[in-house]
C-alpha cells in the first residue's frame, strides 16, 4: 500500500467498491455501484483492527472525497512534512545529497529542564539563576550525513518551497 497524508497519516490503495466488498466478504447492496472508484484505507493511529489482513482499522473511501483529503507521502510540501514531523515522524528531502539525512522534532512540547540537563555552561548558569531549571522549547534537529545530530535546524528557502519531502520510515 502507498502512504498518504491528510489530517492523519494512513495507508491506502486504489480499490473499487465491489472489490472492497469482496475483500470484506460482504454482498454489494443493490443500491450501490460496484464500479465506483475509491480506496481501501487503513488507519494506523491506534484504531482496533477490523480484519485479519491489516494491523489498523480498514474502510473504503470514494475516490473524489479521498483525493480531496489526502496526498501521497512521497512528494509532500514543507507544510505537510511539518505536520508529519509534529506527529512524531522523521522527514527528509528526496533531493538531499547526503545519505540517511533526516529531521526530527527534539520534543513535542515546552518542558522544564534542570540545570544539570544542559550541555552548555552558559545554559547551566542561566538555569541555576532561575532556581535550577529553565523552560526549553521544542526545536527541529537534523541527523547529518556523517551521523551527528544538529540542534536547531532551519530551512532554506528552497527547502521551504520544495514539494519533494518524504516521511522516513
Amino acid at each position: 500500500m502507498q502512504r498518504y497524508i491528510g489530517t492523519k497519516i494512513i495507508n491506502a490503495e486504489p480499490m473499487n467498491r465491489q472489490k472492497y466488498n469482496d475483500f470484506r466478504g460482504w454482498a454489494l447492496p443493490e443500491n450501490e455501484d460496484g464500479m465506483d472508484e475509491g480506496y481501501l484505507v487503513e488507519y494506523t493511529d491506534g484504531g482496533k483492527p477490523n480484519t485479519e489482513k491489516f494491523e489498523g482499522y480498514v474502510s473504503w473511501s470514494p475516490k473524489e472525497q479521498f483525493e480531496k483529503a489526502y496526498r501521497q507521502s512521497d512528494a509532500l510540501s514543507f507544510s505537510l512534512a511539518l505536520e508529519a514531523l509534529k506527529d512524531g515522524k522523521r522527514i527528509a528531502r528526496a533531493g538531499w545529497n547526503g545519505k540517511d539525512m533526516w529531521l526530527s522534532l527534539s520534543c513535542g512540547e515546552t518542558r522544564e529542564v534542570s540545570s544539570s540537563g544542559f550541555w552548555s555552561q552558559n545554559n547551566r548558569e542561566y538555569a541555576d539563576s532561575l532556581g535550577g531549571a529553565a523552560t526549553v522549547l521544542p526545536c527541529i534537529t537534523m541527523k547529518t550525513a556523517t551521523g551527528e545530530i544538529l540542534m536547531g535546524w532551519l530551512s532554506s528557502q528552497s527547502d521551504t518551497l520544495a514539494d519533494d519531502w518524504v516521511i522516513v520510515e
Side-chain angles (χ1 to χ4, degrees):
M1 293 180 93
Q2 173 66 43
R3 178 164 284 180
Y4 290 79
I5 188 169
T7 55
K8 58 174 64 184
I9 298 173
I10 61 162
N11 295 323
E13 64 184 46
M15 182 177 287
N16 70 31
R17 188 184 300 267
Q18 180 64 59
K19 287 185 180 181
Y20 177 73
N21 279 274
D22 292 345
F23 164 74
R24 296 302 303 268
W26 301 339
L28 182 70
E30 289 183 26
N31 63 342
E32 292 183 2
D33 181 359
M35 297 310 293
D36 282 345
E37 292 183 61
Y39 288 81
L40 170 81
V41 179
E42 178 188 16
Y43 297 95
T44 58
D45 59 353
K48 184 178 178 183
N50 58 347
T51 176
E52 295 175 5
K53 296 183 180 182
F54 291 91
E55 294 179 21
Y57 182 84
V58 172
S59 69
W60 186 81
S61 177
K63 181 179 180 178
E64 181 179 353
Q65 289 77 9
F66 179 89
E67 291 180 352
K68 285 181 181 178
Y70 296 104
R71 179 174 176 171
Q72 286 189 350
S73 66
D74 60 355
L76 299 177
S77 66
F78 187 54
S79 60
L80 287 174
L82 282 176
E83 288 300 318
L85 189 77
K86 290 177 187 177
D87 193 36
K89 307 295 185 205
R90 294 179 296 166
I91 61 171
R93 292 265 324 266
W96 276 346
N97 294 330
K99 184 176 173 92
D100 298 326
M101 293 170 58
W102 45 260
L103 304 179
S104 183
L105 198 56
S106 63
C107 61
E109 59 194 32
T110 301
R111 59 177 70 172
E112 295 295 313
V113 176
S114 72
S115 60
S116 64
F118 287 105
W119 297 330
S120 162
Q121 178 65 31
N122 294 331
N123 291 340
R124 283 193 300 274
E125 289 172 2
Y126 175 70
D128 284 340
S129 76
L130 298 174
T135 302
V136 177
L137 301 172
C139 71
I140 298 173
T141 62
M142 172 187 260
K143 191 257 183 194
T144 67
T146 53
E148 296 91 6
I149 298 294
L150 171 68
M151 301 293 289
W153 176 87
L154 295 173
S155 68
S156 67
Q157 288 188 30
S158 60
D159 288 331
T160 302
L161 297 173
D163 285 324
D164 69 343
W165 286 93
V166 297
I167 297 172
V168 177
E169 297 301 325

